[in-house]
Structure formats: structure tokens, C-alpha cells
mmCIF file of all heavy atoms in Angstrom:
data_model
loop_
_atom_site.group_PDB
_atom_site.id
_atom_site.type_symbol
_atom_site.label_atom_id
_atom_site.label_comp_id
_atom_site.label_asym_id
_atom_site.label_seq_id
_atom_site.Cartn_x
_atom_site.Cartn_y
_atom_site.Cartn_z
ATOM 1 N N ILE A 1 123.177 29.992 49.093
ATOM 2 C CA ILE A 1 122.843 30.071 50.502
ATOM 3 C C ILE A 1 121.405 30.584 50.661
ATOM 4 O O ILE A 1 120.590 30.073 51.435
ATOM 5 C CB ILE A 1 123.834 30.936 51.280
ATOM 6 C CG1 ILE A 1 125.177 30.241 51.363
ATOM 7 C CG2 ILE A 1 123.313 31.262 52.668
ATOM 8 C CD1 ILE A 1 126.284 31.093 51.997
ATOM 9 N N ARG A 2 121.103 31.679 49.923
ATOM 10 C CA ARG A 2 119.752 32.267 50.026
ATOM 11 C C ARG A 2 118.689 31.254 49.587
ATOM 12 O O ARG A 2 117.644 31.087 50.269
ATOM 13 C CB ARG A 2 119.655 33.505 49.158
ATOM 14 C CG ARG A 2 118.368 34.307 49.382
ATOM 15 C CD ARG A 2 118.261 35.491 48.476
ATOM 16 N NE ARG A 2 118.074 35.064 47.074
ATOM 17 C CZ ARG A 2 117.868 35.941 46.062
ATOM 18 N NH1 ARG A 2 117.832 37.217 46.286
ATOM 19 N NH2 ARG A 2 117.699 35.456 44.823
ATOM 20 N N ALA A 3 118.941 30.529 48.525
ATOM 21 C CA ALA A 3 117.977 29.585 48.028
ATOM 22 C C ALA A 3 117.785 28.426 49.058
ATOM 23 O O ALA A 3 116.672 27.951 49.216
ATOM 24 C CB ALA A 3 118.443 28.997 46.683
ATOM 25 N N ALA A 4 118.881 28.026 49.688
ATOM 26 C CA ALA A 4 118.783 27.010 50.699
ATOM 27 C C ALA A 4 117.895 27.449 51.842
ATOM 28 O O ALA A 4 116.993 26.726 52.312
ATOM 29 C CB ALA A 4 120.147 26.639 51.217
ATOM 30 N N PHE A 5 118.120 28.641 52.335
ATOM 31 C CA PHE A 5 117.309 29.177 53.439
ATOM 32 C C PHE A 5 115.854 29.310 53.038
ATOM 33 O O PHE A 5 114.937 29.032 53.832
ATOM 34 C CB PHE A 5 117.851 30.523 53.902
ATOM 35 C CG PHE A 5 118.887 30.427 54.965
ATOM 36 C CD1 PHE A 5 120.256 30.331 54.647
ATOM 37 C CD2 PHE A 5 118.520 30.354 56.321
ATOM 38 C CE1 PHE A 5 121.207 30.195 55.633
ATOM 39 C CE2 PHE A 5 119.504 30.262 57.313
ATOM 40 C CZ PHE A 5 120.826 30.143 56.964
ATOM 41 N N ARG A 6 115.601 29.770 51.840
ATOM 42 C CA ARG A 6 114.192 29.865 51.384
ATOM 43 C C ARG A 6 113.522 28.517 51.337
ATOM 44 O O ARG A 6 112.347 28.379 51.721
ATOM 45 C CB ARG A 6 114.152 30.540 50.007
ATOM 46 C CG ARG A 6 114.466 32.034 50.051
ATOM 47 C CD ARG A 6 114.490 32.601 48.629
ATOM 48 N NE ARG A 6 114.581 34.065 48.671
ATOM 49 C CZ ARG A 6 114.664 34.859 47.611
ATOM 50 N NH1 ARG A 6 114.641 34.311 46.386
ATOM 51 N NH2 ARG A 6 114.727 36.165 47.742
ATOM 52 N N GLN A 7 114.265 27.482 50.910
ATOM 53 C CA GLN A 7 113.668 26.167 50.797
ATOM 54 C C GLN A 7 113.440 25.587 52.216
ATOM 55 O O GLN A 7 112.401 24.981 52.493
ATOM 56 C CB GLN A 7 114.543 25.225 49.999
ATOM 57 C CG GLN A 7 113.986 23.831 49.852
ATOM 58 C CD GLN A 7 112.595 23.804 49.174
ATOM 59 O OE1 GLN A 7 112.301 24.640 48.339
ATOM 60 N NE2 GLN A 7 111.767 22.839 49.611
ATOM 61 N N PHE A 8 114.399 25.801 53.145
ATOM 62 C CA PHE A 8 114.204 25.333 54.506
ATOM 63 C C PHE A 8 113.009 26.014 55.161
ATOM 64 O O PHE A 8 112.241 25.416 55.891
ATOM 65 C CB PHE A 8 115.457 25.595 55.332
ATOM 66 C CG PHE A 8 116.678 24.757 54.937
ATOM 67 C CD1 PHE A 8 117.959 25.318 55.048
ATOM 68 C CD2 PHE A 8 116.548 23.478 54.461
ATOM 69 C CE1 PHE A 8 119.046 24.550 54.723
ATOM 70 C CE2 PHE A 8 117.658 22.740 54.073
ATOM 71 C CZ PHE A 8 118.930 23.263 54.210
ATOM 72 N N GLN A 9 112.850 27.308 54.847
ATOM 73 C CA GLN A 9 111.708 28.056 55.389
ATOM 74 C C GLN A 9 110.410 27.479 54.828
ATOM 75 O O GLN A 9 109.437 27.288 55.618
ATOM 76 C CB GLN A 9 111.834 29.534 55.027
ATOM 77 C CG GLN A 9 110.710 30.387 55.589
ATOM 78 C CD GLN A 9 110.923 31.860 55.199
ATOM 79 O OE1 GLN A 9 111.228 32.182 54.035
ATOM 80 N NE2 GLN A 9 110.724 32.774 56.126
ATOM 81 N N GLN A 10 110.370 27.186 53.557
ATOM 82 C CA GLN A 10 109.137 26.645 52.957
ATOM 83 C C GLN A 10 108.845 25.251 53.535
ATOM 84 O O GLN A 10 107.679 24.929 53.738
ATOM 85 C CB GLN A 10 109.326 26.557 51.448
ATOM 86 C CG GLN A 10 108.044 26.131 50.697
ATOM 87 C CD GLN A 10 108.196 26.273 49.206
ATOM 88 O OE1 GLN A 10 108.999 27.068 48.706
ATOM 89 N NE2 GLN A 10 107.408 25.506 48.443
ATOM 90 N N GLN A 11 109.873 24.456 53.780
ATOM 91 C CA GLN A 11 109.698 23.130 54.352
ATOM 92 C C GLN A 11 109.382 23.176 55.842
ATOM 93 O O GLN A 11 108.951 22.204 56.414
ATOM 94 C CB GLN A 11 110.962 22.309 54.187
ATOM 95 C CG GLN A 11 111.322 21.991 52.736
ATOM 96 C CD GLN A 11 112.718 21.330 52.620
ATOM 97 O OE1 GLN A 11 113.140 21.086 51.513
ATOM 98 N NE2 GLN A 11 113.375 21.095 53.713
ATOM 99 N N GLN A 12 109.715 24.341 56.473
ATOM 100 C CA GLN A 12 109.622 24.484 57.919
ATOM 101 C C GLN A 12 110.507 23.475 58.599
ATOM 102 O O GLN A 12 110.134 22.782 59.561
ATOM 103 C CB GLN A 12 108.209 24.418 58.393
ATOM 104 C CG GLN A 12 107.298 25.501 57.882
ATOM 105 C CD GLN A 12 105.889 25.446 58.443
ATOM 106 O OE1 GLN A 12 105.374 24.441 58.883
ATOM 107 N NE2 GLN A 12 105.250 26.633 58.494
ATOM 108 N N THR A 13 111.766 23.399 58.113
ATOM 109 C CA THR A 13 112.766 22.518 58.686
ATOM 110 C C THR A 13 114.059 23.245 58.897
ATOM 111 O O THR A 13 114.281 24.350 58.343
ATOM 112 C CB THR A 13 113.034 21.289 57.763
ATOM 113 O OG1 THR A 13 113.674 21.761 56.565
ATOM 114 C CG2 THR A 13 111.772 20.556 57.409
ATOM 115 N N GLY A 14 114.968 22.618 59.645
ATOM 116 C CA GLY A 14 116.321 23.047 59.686
ATOM 117 C C GLY A 14 117.122 22.409 58.527
ATOM 118 O O GLY A 14 116.501 21.794 57.617
ATOM 119 N N GLY A 15 118.425 22.495 58.583
ATOM 120 C CA GLY A 15 119.215 21.905 57.541
ATOM 121 C C GLY A 15 120.664 22.208 57.771
ATOM 122 O O GLY A 15 121.066 22.823 58.781
ATOM 123 N N ALA A 16 121.520 21.806 56.844
ATOM 124 C CA ALA A 16 122.963 22.058 56.966
ATOM 125 C C ALA A 16 123.495 22.463 55.594
ATOM 126 O O ALA A 16 123.105 21.905 54.564
ATOM 127 C CB ALA A 16 123.695 20.822 57.471
ATOM 128 N N ILE A 17 124.389 23.429 55.614
ATOM 129 C CA ILE A 17 125.024 23.966 54.419
ATOM 130 C C ILE A 17 126.536 23.969 54.656
ATOM 131 O O ILE A 17 126.997 24.401 55.691
ATOM 132 C CB ILE A 17 124.579 25.415 54.118
ATOM 133 C CG1 ILE A 17 123.053 25.506 53.985
ATOM 134 C CG2 ILE A 17 125.285 25.972 52.881
ATOM 135 C CD1 ILE A 17 122.518 26.959 53.973
ATOM 136 N N THR A 18 127.259 23.477 53.676
ATOM 137 C CA THR A 18 128.713 23.554 53.689
ATOM 138 C C THR A 18 129.176 24.207 52.396
ATOM 139 O O THR A 18 128.736 23.818 51.321
ATOM 140 C CB THR A 18 129.388 22.179 53.851
ATOM 141 O OG1 THR A 18 128.995 21.601 55.100
ATOM 142 C CG2 THR A 18 130.894 22.312 53.833
ATOM 143 N N VAL A 19 130.040 25.199 52.536
ATOM 144 C CA VAL A 19 130.549 25.967 51.398
ATOM 145 C C VAL A 19 132.020 25.556 51.214
ATOM 146 O O VAL A 19 132.755 25.376 52.192
ATOM 147 C CB VAL A 19 130.460 27.476 51.674
ATOM 148 C CG1 VAL A 19 131.127 28.274 50.572
ATOM 149 C CG2 VAL A 19 128.973 27.875 51.834
ATOM 150 N N THR A 20 132.457 25.453 49.966
ATOM 151 C CA THR A 20 133.877 25.273 49.715
ATOM 152 C C THR A 20 134.578 26.611 49.731
ATOM 153 O O THR A 20 134.384 27.463 48.837
ATOM 154 C CB THR A 20 134.130 24.570 48.357
ATOM 155 O OG1 THR A 20 133.496 23.301 48.377
ATOM 156 C CG2 THR A 20 135.604 24.418 48.115
ATOM 157 N N ALA A 21 135.334 26.840 50.774
ATOM 158 C CA ALA A 21 136.198 28.016 50.877
ATOM 159 C C ALA A 21 137.570 27.630 50.288
ATOM 160 O O ALA A 21 137.620 26.872 49.326
ATOM 161 C CB ALA A 21 136.261 28.528 52.280
ATOM 162 N N SER A 22 138.660 28.075 50.920
ATOM 163 C CA SER A 22 139.977 27.747 50.390
ATOM 164 C C SER A 22 141.023 28.183 51.403
ATOM 165 O O SER A 22 140.758 29.041 52.259
ATOM 166 C CB SER A 22 140.194 28.501 49.050
ATOM 167 O OG SER A 22 141.528 28.418 48.645
ATOM 168 N N ILE A 23 142.214 27.623 51.238
ATOM 169 C CA ILE A 23 143.335 28.160 51.980
ATOM 170 C C ILE A 23 143.525 29.651 51.653
ATOM 171 O O ILE A 23 143.993 30.425 52.457
ATOM 172 C CB ILE A 23 144.610 27.365 51.617
ATOM 173 C CG1 ILE A 23 145.785 27.755 52.527
ATOM 174 C CG2 ILE A 23 144.970 27.505 50.157
ATOM 175 C CD1 ILE A 23 147.018 26.903 52.285
ATOM 176 N N ALA A 24 143.051 30.025 50.464
ATOM 177 C CA ALA A 24 143.095 31.438 50.023
ATOM 178 C C ALA A 24 142.087 32.304 50.771
ATOM 179 O O ALA A 24 142.158 33.522 50.676
ATOM 180 C CB ALA A 24 142.856 31.528 48.525
ATOM 181 N N SER A 25 141.169 31.685 51.526
ATOM 182 C CA SER A 25 140.255 32.439 52.392
ATOM 183 C C SER A 25 140.946 32.979 53.633
ATOM 184 O O SER A 25 140.442 33.895 54.292
ATOM 185 C CB SER A 25 139.080 31.570 52.816
ATOM 186 O OG SER A 25 138.367 31.076 51.743
ATOM 187 N N LEU A 26 142.065 32.365 53.996
ATOM 188 C CA LEU A 26 142.689 32.575 55.301
ATOM 189 C C LEU A 26 144.048 33.219 55.244
ATOM 190 O O LEU A 26 144.541 33.709 56.267
ATOM 191 C CB LEU A 26 142.806 31.212 56.025
ATOM 192 C CG LEU A 26 141.505 30.401 56.121
ATOM 193 C CD1 LEU A 26 141.775 29.024 56.681
ATOM 194 C CD2 LEU A 26 140.476 31.125 56.972
ATOM 195 N N THR A 27 144.666 33.249 54.083
ATOM 196 C CA THR A 27 146.019 33.764 53.921
ATOM 197 C C THR A 27 146.083 34.622 52.702
ATOM 198 O O THR A 27 145.153 34.668 51.916
ATOM 199 C CB THR A 27 147.035 32.601 53.826
ATOM 200 O OG1 THR A 27 146.643 31.732 52.761
ATOM 201 C CG2 THR A 27 147.110 31.794 55.113
ATOM 202 N N GLY A 28 147.208 35.275 52.503
ATOM 203 C CA GLY A 28 147.354 36.169 51.348
ATOM 204 C C GLY A 28 148.465 35.733 50.430
ATOM 205 O O GLY A 28 149.414 35.075 50.827
ATOM 206 N N SER A 29 148.316 36.090 49.158
ATOM 207 C CA SER A 29 149.370 35.874 48.162
ATOM 208 C C SER A 29 149.278 36.988 47.130
ATOM 209 O O SER A 29 148.286 37.682 47.056
ATOM 210 C CB SER A 29 149.227 34.502 47.499
ATOM 211 O OG SER A 29 148.072 34.447 46.702
ATOM 212 N N ALA A 30 150.337 37.126 46.353
ATOM 213 C CA ALA A 30 150.380 38.200 45.353
ATOM 214 C C ALA A 30 149.784 37.766 44.017
ATOM 215 O O ALA A 30 149.649 38.602 43.116
ATOM 216 C CB ALA A 30 151.815 38.674 45.140
ATOM 217 N N ASP A 31 149.458 36.491 43.876
ATOM 218 C CA ASP A 31 148.845 36.024 42.650
ATOM 219 C C ASP A 31 147.459 35.544 42.947
ATOM 220 O O ASP A 31 146.997 35.436 44.071
ATOM 221 C CB ASP A 31 149.701 34.942 42.017
ATOM 222 C CG ASP A 31 149.972 33.769 42.936
ATOM 223 O OD1 ASP A 31 149.551 33.826 44.104
ATOM 224 O OD2 ASP A 31 150.602 32.784 42.495
ATOM 225 N N LEU A 32 146.690 35.255 41.854
ATOM 226 C CA LEU A 32 145.293 34.823 41.963
ATOM 227 C C LEU A 32 144.469 35.772 42.811
ATOM 228 O O LEU A 32 143.656 35.345 43.632
ATOM 229 C CB LEU A 32 145.245 33.410 42.553
ATOM 230 C CG LEU A 32 145.576 32.266 41.598
ATOM 231 C CD1 LEU A 32 145.449 30.933 42.346
ATOM 232 C CD2 LEU A 32 144.651 32.259 40.401
ATOM 233 N N LEU A 33 144.672 37.071 42.629
ATOM 234 C CA LEU A 33 144.029 38.069 43.479
ATOM 235 C C LEU A 33 142.493 38.009 43.397
ATOM 236 O O LEU A 33 141.827 38.091 44.466
ATOM 237 C CB LEU A 33 144.553 39.465 43.171
ATOM 238 C CG LEU A 33 144.044 40.563 44.092
ATOM 239 C CD1 LEU A 33 144.555 40.298 45.528
ATOM 240 C CD2 LEU A 33 144.528 41.941 43.619
ATOM 241 N N PRO A 34 141.887 37.905 42.237
ATOM 242 C CA PRO A 34 140.383 37.835 42.213
ATOM 243 C C PRO A 34 139.901 36.594 42.973
ATOM 244 O O PRO A 34 138.939 36.707 43.743
ATOM 245 C CB PRO A 34 140.062 37.753 40.714
ATOM 246 C CG PRO A 34 141.213 38.375 40.039
ATOM 247 C CD PRO A 34 142.415 37.995 40.830
ATOM 248 N N TYR A 35 140.541 35.452 42.782
ATOM 249 C CA TYR A 35 140.131 34.228 43.462
ATOM 250 C C TYR A 35 140.271 34.400 45.002
ATOM 251 O O TYR A 35 139.370 34.096 45.763
ATOM 252 C CB TYR A 35 141.007 33.073 42.997
ATOM 253 C CG TYR A 35 140.725 31.761 43.674
ATOM 254 C CD1 TYR A 35 139.651 30.956 43.269
ATOM 255 C CD2 TYR A 35 141.557 31.274 44.687
ATOM 256 C CE1 TYR A 35 139.379 29.729 43.850
ATOM 257 C CE2 TYR A 35 141.307 30.067 45.306
ATOM 258 C CZ TYR A 35 140.217 29.277 44.871
ATOM 259 O OH TYR A 35 139.963 28.079 45.507
ATOM 260 N N GLN A 36 141.434 34.922 45.420
ATOM 261 C CA GLN A 36 141.675 35.112 46.829
ATOM 262 C C GLN A 36 140.681 36.050 47.461
ATOM 263 O O GLN A 36 140.126 35.784 48.529
ATOM 264 C CB GLN A 36 143.113 35.723 47.023
ATOM 265 C CG GLN A 36 143.459 36.017 48.449
ATOM 266 C CD GLN A 36 144.879 36.571 48.535
ATOM 267 O OE1 GLN A 36 145.628 36.142 49.360
ATOM 268 N NE2 GLN A 36 145.224 37.516 47.679
ATOM 269 N N THR A 37 140.350 37.143 46.766
ATOM 270 C CA THR A 37 139.388 38.096 47.262
ATOM 271 C C THR A 37 137.981 37.446 47.404
ATOM 272 O O THR A 37 137.315 37.620 48.415
ATOM 273 C CB THR A 37 139.286 39.304 46.341
ATOM 274 O OG1 THR A 37 140.565 39.907 46.194
ATOM 275 C CG2 THR A 37 138.316 40.344 46.857
ATOM 276 N N SER A 38 137.640 36.654 46.419
ATOM 277 C CA SER A 38 136.338 35.984 46.451
ATOM 278 C C SER A 38 136.245 34.996 47.562
ATOM 279 O O SER A 38 135.213 34.876 48.221
ATOM 280 C CB SER A 38 136.071 35.279 45.105
ATOM 281 O OG SER A 38 136.850 34.111 44.932
ATOM 282 N N LYS A 39 137.347 34.260 47.840
ATOM 283 C CA LYS A 39 137.301 33.292 48.884
ATOM 284 C C LYS A 39 137.309 33.913 50.289
ATOM 285 O O LYS A 39 136.789 33.318 51.260
ATOM 286 C CB LYS A 39 138.431 32.264 48.709
ATOM 287 C CG LYS A 39 138.247 31.379 47.503
ATOM 288 C CD LYS A 39 136.961 30.537 47.572
ATOM 289 C CE LYS A 39 136.838 29.561 46.448
ATOM 290 N NZ LYS A 39 135.623 28.730 46.537
ATOM 291 N N HIS A 40 137.909 35.089 50.426
ATOM 292 C CA HIS A 40 137.785 35.841 51.682
ATOM 293 C C HIS A 40 136.291 36.250 51.881
ATOM 294 O O HIS A 40 135.756 36.131 52.982
ATOM 295 C CB HIS A 40 138.657 37.085 51.673
ATOM 296 C CG HIS A 40 140.039 36.831 52.136
ATOM 297 N ND1 HIS A 40 140.971 36.101 51.440
ATOM 298 C CD2 HIS A 40 140.714 37.261 53.258
ATOM 299 C CE1 HIS A 40 142.118 36.058 52.085
ATOM 300 N NE2 HIS A 40 141.962 36.780 53.229
#
């Protein structure tokens, strides 16, 4: 994200960024805890 913003700034343009989150970003489970935490 930071690199994208720096490049847009250098170009003096806008742009669009999409990140792959996860169902694990929005809900909880007792397994895959590091992954779930990262996606939150």
C-alpha cells in the first residue's frame, strides 16, 4: 500500500488499490489464529 501511494504521488495521479482480505477478517474461529489475526 505504501509503495502504491508513493508511486501515485510521484506520478501525480490517483489510482485504485484492492487488497485480498478474507472471511477470516470479519469472523472468528479457534483455529488458524495467526492468519485470522493478520486478516483482521
Side-chain angles (χ1 to χ4, degrees):
I1 290 174
R2 189 184 69 175
F5 271 91
R6 287 177 171 177
Q7 182 58 33
F8 293 146
Q9 182 180 44
Q10 185 171 336
Q11 295 172 183
Q12 297 186 333
T13 67
I17 303 168
T18 297
V19 174
T20 298
S22 170
I23 189 175
S25 300
L26 307 172
T27 55
S29 67
D31 55 357
L32 283 180
L33 187 62
Y35 178 81
Q36 177 179 228
T37 303
S38 72
K39 290 300 184 178
H40 273 68

